[in-house]
């Protein structure tokens, strides 16, 4: 799965093992490692979490 944010492609491989959240930053531990994602605002961050939950 891939998510585009500000021209950057974020690749998340299923299954997702854990998600750590702190303000507008998330660390997603998934099949191929960890991804640290920082967002400019809470609206973009919420949109990412909704996409990830699908």
């Amino acid at each position: 799965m891939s998510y585009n944010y500000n021209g950057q492609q974020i690749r998340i491989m299923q299954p997702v093992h854990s998600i750590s959240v702190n303000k507008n930053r998330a660390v997603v531990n998934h099949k191929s490692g960890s991804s640290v994602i920082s967002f400019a605002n809470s609206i973009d961050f919420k949109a990412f979490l909704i996409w990830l939950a699908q």
Side-chain angles (χ1 to χ4, degrees), residues 12-33:
I12 306 293
M13 301 299 289
Q14 295 290 344
V16 173
H17 302 294
S18 67
I19 304 168
S20 298
V21 175
N22 185 4
K23 295 191 179 188
N24 292 339
R25 175 182 278 176
V27 177
V28 180
N29 292 316
H30 50 94
K31 182 179 179 179
S32 64

Side-chain angles (χ1 to χ4, degrees), residues 3-10 12 19-28 34-49:
Y3 185 79
N4 291 319
Y5 178 67
N6 283 345
Q8 210 177 21
Q9 186 177 28
I10 303 165
I12 306 293
I19 304 168
S20 298
V21 175
N22 185 4
K23 295 191 179 188
N24 292 339
R25 175 182 278 176
V27 177
V28 180
S34 298
S35 297
V36 178
I37 308 128
S38 296
F39 294 91
N41 58 52
S42 61
I43 295 169
D44 294 341
F45 185 52
K46 288 177 185 176
F48 171 75
L49 291 176

